[in-house]
Amino acid sequence: MRILQLIKKEAVLFLSLLLALVSMAFVPPDAAYIGYIDFHTLSILLGLMIIMAGLRSLGIFAMIGRWMLGKTRNLQSLTVVLVMLCFGFSMLITNDVALITFVPFTIEVLAMAGLEKYLIRVIVLQTVASNLGSMLTPIGNPQNLYLFSLSDMGLGSFVSLMLPYTLASLVGLLAACMVMTGRTAVEVKVQSDHVLTAPEQRKTAGYLLLFLFAMTSVAHIVPDYVVCGVIIAAVLLMDGRILRKPDYALLLTFVFLFVFIGNMKRIPEISLWLHGVIRGREILTSILASQVISNVPAAILLSGFTDRIPALIVGTNLGGLGTIIASMASLISFKYYGMTEGKRNGAYLGVFTLLNLIFLAALVALHALIT
């Protein structure tokens, strides 16, 4: 029973493991396997996950959110703040961390204001906002970090590529907030956070410095293994318990998918067929693949069979919209909503799917206009 629960919880991890094992039947393990693994991406991803876990443990993001909420006067402004927190923070702390931080916070705030009937609308908007805001930067989500490491793009080129979609998403989200909520007056008395103690202030400063140091690896200035090693050593000194927090299942998922793709490339018939299917159709293929296997595995899978990485960046980011599994971060919000009293999971999925499809159609249309 515990194994079944674990498989259900980490479905993508076990699917990637199964794919890797099947591929190993056709290409037995050898010395070439080590070359499959993108250690650069894994090192940066691990370092960033550790830093974000540390900052989240100190309540920094929730403190900022509470400060912003103090300036709201009606339901629309409250919704805009809650949604924009996810949109903005997802660019720096990743879409899943933004949702883990702010969705429970939203449930608490709306309950205090007696606005539980708006939970579905606001949480769905936050989820869409996190997946859209994370498009803009290489560190916004795991597939961006991976694809950025494969490309020869600089940070400015990456941001320029995704900026039109992000700006259009911002306008669309603000309009959606206006349409989906009213101007009901609300008064939310958010409890103030405790003042950071001197040790907590030092830890916060330490994590922020480590974040800036991690950016040197993203920009290819300092070697990734040096950055990752320094981060681990520093966090061990500050608070070793934080090293238990990162999503190590995600790192293993990457490893298993690297093995699967590496083996597929060594089977001539499959490699040739996949090259033919994907080449020239990167955006459409990545959007469709994301709907079924989510955008992180789709990015890793398709990158093995095309060198048009910018197209994959656009496609897998847009592909995060759509089904509930198109972006695994979306399941985080659904899980939190499912734990609320009076939950209506069917209604949630209906609103979620409709809003996602509207944004997906709009951004695909925008892509057609600008290319």
Side-chain angles (χ1 to χ4, degrees), residues 183-232:
R183 297 187 61 84
T184 304
V186 295
E187 183 177 354
V188 183
K189 295 181 179 179
V190 183
Q191 296 179 353
S192 59
D193 291 288
H194 72 279
V195 177
L196 292 177
T197 63
E200 288 174 332
Q201 291 176 9
R202 288 193 292 270
K203 285 182 181 180
T204 300
Y207 284 123
L208 292 176
L209 288 174
L210 287 174
F211 177 76
L212 294 176
F213 186 50
M215 292 302 97
T216 65
S217 181
V218 175
H220 307 291
I221 298 172
V222 179
D224 51 272
Y225 62 88
V226 172
V227 170
C228 188
V230 168
I231 291 172
I232 292 173

Side-chain angles (χ1 to χ4, degrees), residues 19-339:
L19 291 173
L21 292 174
V22 170
S23 71
M24 290 167 67
F26 295 92
V27 183
D30 57 21
Y33 268 50
I34 194 67
Y36 298 164
I37 312 300
D38 184 349
F39 291 105
H40 175 73
T41 297
L42 295 179
S43 298
I44 298 174
L45 185 57
L46 175 59
L48 288 171
M49 287 193 297
I50 292 171
I51 293 168
M52 294 311 152
L55 287 171
R56 184 168 176 267
S57 72
L58 294 169
I60 301 302
F61 309 126
M63 289 175 64
I64 296 172
R66 284 180 165 82
W67 174 78
M68 293 181 66
L69 280 181
K71 303 181 180 301
T72 63
R73 292 294 179 268
N74 57 55
L75 180 57
Q76 281 187 348
S77 62
L78 175 67
T79 302
V80 168
V81 168
L82 292 171
V83 171
M84 288 301 112
L85 281 170
C86 291
F87 183 77
F89 272 101
S90 66
M91 300 175 187
L92 298 176
I93 67 175
T94 75
N95 51 355
D96 55 347
V97 174
L99 292 173
I100 289 170
T101 300
F102 293 115
V103 169
F105 178 54
T106 294
I107 293 171
E108 174 189 347
V109 167
L110 292 182
M112 287 190 296
L115 299 170
E116 291 91 342
K117 67 179 182 179
Y118 292 99
L119 266 178
I120 290 178
R121 302 181 203 181
V122 178
I123 294 175
V124 167
L125 282 166
Q126 286 184 304
T127 306
V128 173
S130 291
N131 288 329
L132 292 174
S134 65
M135 295 191 300
L136 185 63
T137 65
I139 61 173
N141 50 55
Q143 88 268 1
N144 276 1
L145 185 59
Y146 168 67
L147 293 173
F148 180 70
S149 72
L150 286 185
S151 71
D152 294 325
M153 302 171 69
L155 180 59
S157 297
F158 186 101
V159 172
S160 296
L161 174 67
M162 296 310 303
L163 185 60
Y165 305 99
T166 307
L167 291 176
S169 298
L170 175 60
V171 173
L173 284 167
L174 291 173
C177 288
M178 299 298 105
V179 171
M180 295 176 68
T181 58
R183 297 187 61 84
T184 304
V186 295
E187 183 177 354
V188 183
K189 295 181 179 179
V190 183
Q191 296 179 353
S192 59
D193 291 288
H194 72 279
V195 177
L196 292 177
T197 63
E200 288 174 332
Q201 291 176 9
R202 288 193 292 270
K203 285 182 181 180
T204 300
Y207 284 123
L208 292 176
L209 288 174
L210 287 174
F211 177 76
L212 294 176
F213 186 50
M215 292 302 97
T216 65
S217 181
V218 175
H220 307 291
I221 298 172
V222 179
D224 51 272
Y225 62 88
V226 172
V227 170
C228 188
V230 168
I231 291 172
I232 292 173
V235 173
L236 271 173
L237 292 173
M238 288 193 295
D239 188 354
R241 295 172 298 177
I242 296 300
L243 296 179
R244 305 174 191 168
K245 303 291 186 180
D247 184 3
Y248 293 107
L250 176 62
L251 298 179
L252 279 175
T253 299
F254 268 70
V255 171
F256 295 146
L257 288 170
F258 287 146
V259 170
F260 171 69
I261 294 161
N263 285 337
M264 290 300 98
K265 292 174 71 174
R266 292 172 64 183
I267 302 174
E269 296 82 4
I270 293 179
S271 179
L272 183 63
W273 178 75
L274 285 172
H275 273 101
V277 169
I278 297 167
R279 185 70 181 177
R281 307 180 186 89
E282 287 83 1
I283 291 179
L284 176 62
T285 306
S286 54
I287 289 175
L288 294 177
S290 296
Q291 306 310 303
V292 181
I293 62 175
S294 86
N295 52 3
V296 173
I300 299 174
L301 173 63
L302 301 181
S303 67
F305 304 98
T306 180
D307 57 0
R308 297 185 63 201
I309 302 302
L312 285 185
I313 292 171
V314 173
T316 53
N317 275 297
L318 300 191
L321 299 164
T323 66
I324 193 72
I325 63 170
S327 169
M328 297 307 292
S330 300
L331 293 174
I332 294 171
S333 302
F334 187 46
K335 174 184 175 183
Y336 282 124
Y337 174 76
M339 294 187 293

